[in-house]
Amino acid sequence: MIRRPIYEAIAAHFAAVPGFATVTRDPKHWKDVAPENCPALLLRPEGEEQQEVRKGLPPRWALSVSLLVYVRQGGEEAADTISDLLDAVEAAQVAEDQ
């Protein structure tokens, strides 16, 4: 399994979600993301698990990725922005699953 193109495809899929100034595969602490790069969506690989081995076929793998959403705003405006962004991310994921 070659992982890089898989993670790049995941990042490209979520880069199409409106509202993010930055989408990256480079997970950072929120303090290390500049305000002008926010809202930001960062992908962090979490793990992988072999799902099944099928005779004569390559094994299937499940890759886990955390999506980190960073917003640099205060108060209720931040809560509204995060809610809107999470709704957009969820809608993109649902569209991908169908």
Side-chain angles (χ1 to χ4, degrees), residues 2-92:
I2 301 172
R3 292 160 181 82
R4 183 183 308 233
I6 295 169
Y7 289 119
E8 287 173 353
I10 294 168
H13 175 74
F14 286 108
V17 174
F20 289 104
T22 304
V23 176
T24 181
R25 294 176 42 227
D26 181 23
K28 300 177 182 179
H29 190 275
W30 66 268
K31 292 186 282 187
D32 297 325
V33 177
E36 61 269 14
N37 293 331
C38 289
L41 177 68
L42 291 77
L43 283 74
R44 181 176 64 202
E46 292 292 337
E48 53 191 57
E49 180 179 314
Q50 191 170 351
Q51 294 295 301
E52 65 180 282
V53 177
R54 300 163 293 163
K55 187 174 180 177
L57 296 172
R60 296 175 96 179
W61 290 86
L63 304 177
S64 299
V65 178
S66 289
L67 302 176
L68 309 173
V69 176
Y70 296 158
V71 174
R72 291 267 181 127
Q73 297 170 325
E76 197 168 315
E77 183 180 354
D80 291 343
T81 299
I82 289 173
S83 292
D84 293 344
L85 291 170
L86 292 177
D87 289 345
V89 167
E90 183 177 15

